[in-house]
Amino acid sequence: MSSERAPLSAAAVLASSADAVVGLDSALRVCLWNPAAERLFGWRSQDVIGGRLPIVPAELKAEHGAVLEQVRAGPPLTIHTRRVRRDDTPIDVRVSTAAVTSPDGGHDGWVLTLYPTDNEAQAHTAAMERARLVRRLTDVVVDINADLSLQSVLDRISSGITELTGADAGGFVLLNEDRVELVSITRLSQTLQGYSAPLETSLFGELLRSGKSVLLANDDTRGLQDLVWADLPGLHTIALCVSNVHGRPYGALYALYSQRKVGHVELELLELLAAHAGVAIGNAMAYEELNHQRVHEQAVADSSADGIAVLDFGGRVRKWNRSAVELTGYPAEIVEGRHPPFPIPACHGRPVKHRLKDGRWLEILMARIPRTHEWVVDFRDITAQKAMEDEREAFLATTGHELRTPITAIHGFATTLIRKWSRMSSEAQREAVSNIVDRSTALTLLVERLSLGSDASRGELDVNPVPFELSQVLRQAVMTFRSLSDRHDVVLSASDDLPTVFADPLATGIIMDQLLDNSIKFSPEGGTVHVTVTVEGDEVAVSVDDDGPGLRPGDEERVFERFFQGGVRGDRRRFGGLGLGLYIVRKLAQDQGGDVRARRLERGTRMYFTLPLYRDGGAGPDPDGPRTAIVEPPGVAAVRAGVTGGQTSFKPPASQESSKISPNPEPLPRRRSARPTAGRTG
């Protein structure tokens, strides 16, 4: 009878099996799902065929992959583990896994036989073993994450491979486009560090092409003697696993075995380590990127000429750039954690101006960073800008004050002449006209002084040095100013054989006139004005001393600033003036190769200027050529210096056309030079 019956088919056997039988093809897709599997796990055959195996819990996928990889080239393997049903309830099972080979000896897939285990001891033992593996893995992962330096993390991963999986050596291979590079090794020769090879022919490339996460290679599946890892004597097995960073392959962990054997537990641990390694590498890369960004931001901040500070929500300094240190004098280590050493604007868009203790001015702006609740404070040095603003205000105030007096007088006398001409005597008419002439002359000199100051500020003073006798200019200036005040005695102390100087005689005359004018004006009680000439090396120094109230301490340099009138001598209500005289004088002296200085005396002030000596055969005109003679009518120096009213009763001469005779008779304030600054000859 048996001979008449049809033989049992494999499908019938599988359908009648009491154990769940599952078949997987080489791509890990379900190709067999018998009725017992449907009863055990709840999924129907049509639900799972062609897809991934749904019964493996997420935390055991590495174990599942490790078992498949070990069985692929080895004998069947049975383990006690846990799977899940369709309703997500767990079930303890025993899984026997075997490889399916093709007739030609290739690998076609796997067959899994699963049945529930009622043996609590076996389940407990399996759970205890897994807990032990998790503890080992946790210890290694903690060590890997203990450092945020990328290279240190990679080195710790290599060490973790041998510690966790029992491998005889290990390494981390970095994926770099179409090549792989060995960037970290443990228990291998350091000569392998940095080794690079094509991705296509490497085990890493084979692993990526397979679509799996773990690969086991040994002498039975392929030759290992040609690999760089053959540096390890007795190498018989290589296990490698992909490490993904942000969802993309970053590298691979290699575990090398030369004496020990590798099982599915070691493969599972390697895959779990690779997953944690990807997280650690991602953190290290993010940290290095953050450090790079911070360094870049700090470099940008330090290269800024503005001071930049970052404040926390409480207004305390978190960052303090290099310019902030230079502007305030406070180093970062002192300021950080404290409030900044200057006031903060009340809100965005409202800058604050603040003066530091050293006299510098800062303009402070602030902007909020919404995401971090921080504030960025930008502050810059506006001392020069503030000085220009102060100069502008001083110029407007001073010029308005100085112009108002002569204009008011001219307007008053002119109005009187128009309204009362017929009733005025000839003498009264002449006196009114004379006053108009006096005031208009003063007004002309004031405008000329402003024009000269403007030229000086732009570097457009036209100074033409020539060799001339300084004594002539000094004697004429002293003689002129000696007759301007009955309360002052102007004395010149100079030898008759003064050396020839190489300078501009007209500019030198203006310097001398201004210094003498200041000495008389700022010593209203009278006294002696001493003019002294000495030779100092390659220069001639001319000093002008007065018996006035002198300068305030610290004003010795400030008196040469535009519009500055400081201390007792700067009382505009008492002395008047624009504060331009000494500014122009210094520019004229410097453009001739000299300088002007001020010095406080026990009584009075000393103003002195220097001019370069003329050396035969040096730069300049022919020493045998004609030298300029300086002839000046009395009173012209006083008019040029701008002495008007006040402490003298000087009346300008009827003709104002005479001036110092020089190679160029055009008055200095009217000339313009194409050169930015005058040439200097030592």
Side-chain angles (χ1 to χ4, degrees):
M1 293 178 61
S2 60
S3 61
E4 297 177 356
R5 294 179 180 179
L8 291 175
S9 65
V13 172
L14 291 174
S16 302
S17 173
D19 296 336
V21 179
V22 178
L24 303 178
D25 62 16
S26 60
L28 300 178
R29 293 171 302 198
V30 177
C31 58
L32 174 64
W33 186 262
N34 75 340
E38 183 174 333
R39 291 191 300 269
L40 181 61
F41 297 107
W43 280 280
R44 295 176 302 174
S45 176
Q46 57 267 34
D47 296 332
V48 297
I49 294 296
R52 295 286 176 173
L53 188 63
I55 64 176
V56 182
E59 68 273 13
L60 296 177
K61 288 186 180 296
E63 176 195 65
H64 173 68
V67 170
L68 295 182
E69 182 61 23
Q70 182 178 357
V71 170
R72 181 180 63 85
L77 180 65
T78 301
I79 64 171
H80 290 272
T81 184
R82 178 168 292 180
R83 295 292 182 258
V84 292
R85 293 188 174 97
R86 187 167 188 173
D87 59 2
D88 291 331
T89 58
I91 178 174
D92 293 325
V93 296
R94 188 177 71 173
V95 182
S96 296
T97 307
V100 178
T101 58
S102 60
D104 59 359
H107 174 70
D108 282 347
W110 298 266
V111 59
L112 285 67
T113 304
L114 305 94
Y115 61 91
T117 177
D118 296 329
N119 191 331
E120 294 183 1
Q122 289 182 340
H124 180 71
T125 301
M128 292 293 293
E129 177 64 15
R130 176 153 297 280
R132 183 183 66 82
L133 296 178
V134 169
R135 285 195 298 270
R136 286 173 56 191
L137 177 64
T138 301
D139 293 340
V140 172
V141 170
V142 168
D143 181 66
I144 291 174
N145 287 278
D147 200 323
L148 286 175
S149 168
L150 181 58
Q151 186 58 50
S152 297
V153 168
L154 295 176
D155 291 341
R156 288 171 185 262
I157 291 172
S158 296
S159 299
I161 292 172
T162 57
E163 179 181 347
L164 191 62
T165 68
D168 297 296
F172 189 90
V173 171
L174 178 67
L175 175 61
N176 186 7
E177 295 182 355
D178 60 346
R179 297 189 67 83
V180 292
E181 180 182 357
L182 183 57
V183 295
S184 178
I185 54 176
T186 182
R187 301 182 185 176
L188 288 170
S189 172
Q190 289 298 320
T191 58
L192 298 180
Q193 183 86 16
Y195 174 82
S196 178
L199 174 65
E200 181 69 22
T201 58
S202 68
L203 289 177
F204 193 179
E206 181 180 337
L207 175 60
L208 292 178
R209 290 190 297 272
S210 70
K212 298 183 294 184
S213 58
V214 64
L215 177 67
L216 193 65
N218 52 40
D219 288 328
D220 295 333
T221 59
R222 59 172 299 166
L224 302 179
Q225 64 276 7
D226 295 332
L227 300 178
V228 65
W229 307 101
D231 179 74
L232 180 65
L235 175 67
H236 59 77
T237 303
I238 298 177
L240 63 151
C241 186
V242 178
S243 180
N244 295 301
V245 177
H246 304 309
R248 301 183 62 180
Y250 179 80
L253 284 68
Y254 280 69
L256 311 179
Y257 295 87
S258 61
Q259 298 177 5
R260 306 177 187 179
K261 294 183 178 181
V262 57
H264 76 281
V265 174
E266 287 74 17
L267 292 179
E268 178 186 0
L269 289 174
L270 183 64
E271 186 170 355
L272 293 174
L273 178 61
H276 288 283
V279 175
I281 293 170
N283 293 337
M285 292 173 63
Y287 180 76
E288 289 200 349
E289 178 63 25
L290 179 60
N291 275 345
H292 176 75
Q293 183 178 354
R294 287 176 177 174
V295 170
H296 177 72
E297 290 176 354
Q298 190 65 37
V300 172
D302 286 342
S303 65
S304 172
D306 289 0
I308 298 176
V310 178
L311 311 183
D312 61 18
F313 183 75
R316 292 176 175 81
V317 176
R318 295 189 60 184
K319 293 182 180 179
W320 191 255
N321 77 334
R322 185 180 306 164
S323 294
V325 177
E326 296 173 353
L327 288 173
T328 64
Y330 289 96
E333 56 268 19
I334 293 179
V335 178
E336 289 179 353
R338 301 182 180 181
H339 294 284
F342 45 70
I344 300 299
C347 62
H348 174 71
R350 293 186 181 179
V352 171
K353 294 182 180 179
H354 174 70
R355 186 177 183 181
L356 299 174
K357 293 181 180 180
D358 61 2
R360 286 185 295 175
W361 283 88
L362 298 180
E363 183 180 52
I364 307 162
L365 303 94
M366 186 168 67
R368 185 170 179 267
I369 306 176
R371 293 182 60 185
T372 62
H373 302 290
E374 295 174 317
W375 297 87
V376 176
V377 180
D378 182 281
F379 48 99
R380 63 194 60 178
D381 189 342
I382 59 166
T383 305
Q385 177 184 337
K386 192 69 170 60
M388 291 180 63
E389 293 177 358
D390 293 343
E391 279 190 7
R392 183 174 64 250
E393 293 176 2
F395 171 77
L396 293 175
T398 303
T399 306
H401 174 80
E402 293 296 323
L403 291 175
R404 187 180 300 112
T405 301
I407 290 176
T408 301
I410 292 172
H411 180 268
F413 284 119
T415 302
T416 300
L417 288 174
I418 292 175
R419 293 178 179 178
K420 300 180 180 181
W421 178 269
S422 60
R423 290 176 289 173
M424 296 175 65
S425 64
S426 299
E427 183 178 354
Q429 292 173 350
R430 284 194 298 271
E431 184 177 355
V433 172
S434 178
N435 276 293
I436 291 176
V437 172
D438 288 347
R439 300 301 181 178
S440 62
T441 300
L443 186 61
T444 300
L445 291 172
L446 179 62
V447 173
E448 290 293 342
R449 182 62 58 85
L450 289 172
S451 176
L452 196 60
S454 177
D455 292 345
S457 67
R458 296 195 304 269
E460 293 182 358
L461 291 175
D462 194 353
V463 176
N464 298 310
V466 295
F468 71 93
E469 300 297 335
L470 177 62
S471 58
Q472 297 182 37
V473 175
L474 299 181
R475 290 192 185 97
Q476 289 178 357
V478 168
M479 179 181 64
T480 299
F481 278 87
R482 186 178 292 161
S483 63
L484 295 181
S485 175
D486 296 334
R487 295 189 298 274
H488 295 81
D489 186 15
V490 184
V491 179
L492 173 63
S493 299
S495 61
D496 294 333
D497 57 345
L498 285 176
T500 302
V501 297
F502 187 70
D504 188 314
L506 182 58
T508 303
I510 293 176
I511 295 173
M512 194 64 201
D513 294 344
Q514 181 66 57
L515 298 185
L516 289 173
D517 175 42
N518 281 1
S519 295
I520 292 176
K521 181 165 63 173
F522 293 117
S523 55
E525 304 302 326
T528 302
V529 177
H530 294 273
V531 180
T532 307
V533 186
T534 58
V535 177
E536 300 176 355
D538 294 334
E539 295 180 325
V540 172
V542 180
S543 302
V544 180
D545 300 353
D546 62 51
D547 294 330
L551 297 170
R552 291 177 56 182
D555 283 351
E556 290 86 346
E557 277 297 312
R558 298 189 65 195
V559 294
F560 296 101
E561 298 176 3
R562 285 193 303 175
F563 311 117
F564 177 79
Q565 295 178 325
V568 179
R569 294 183 64 167
D571 189 347
R572 185 179 294 115
R573 292 173 298 177
R574 183 179 180 189
F575 299 110
L578 290 170
L580 281 173
L582 292 180
Y583 173 77
I584 296 172
V585 161
R586 170 166 279 186
K587 292 291 186 181
L588 288 172
Q590 290 177 344
D591 285 353
Q592 297 181 90
D595 202 357
V596 179
R597 300 289 181 186
R599 181 180 301 167
R600 296 174 62 244
L601 302 177
E602 185 176 350
R603 175 180 173 82
T605 303
R606 170 173 294 171
M607 307 293 298
Y608 64 98
F609 69 96
T610 58
L611 295 174
L613 292 175
Y614 179 73
R615 298 298 185 185
D616 290 349
D622 184 357
D624 298 328
R627 295 184 179 178
T628 303
I630 309 299
V631 179
E632 184 176 275
V636 172
V639 174
R640 183 179 60 245
V643 179
T644 59
Q647 59 275 2
T648 68
S649 58
F650 168 74
K651 300 291 184 181
S655 174
Q656 298 295 331
E657 297 179 358
S658 299
S659 63
K660 288 186 176 181
I661 301 174
S662 68
N664 190 341
E666 184 181 358
L668 182 63
R670 297 298 185 187
R671 291 187 291 182
R672 297 290 186 269
S673 172
R675 298 171 297 171
T677 56
R680 298 186 181 183
T681 303

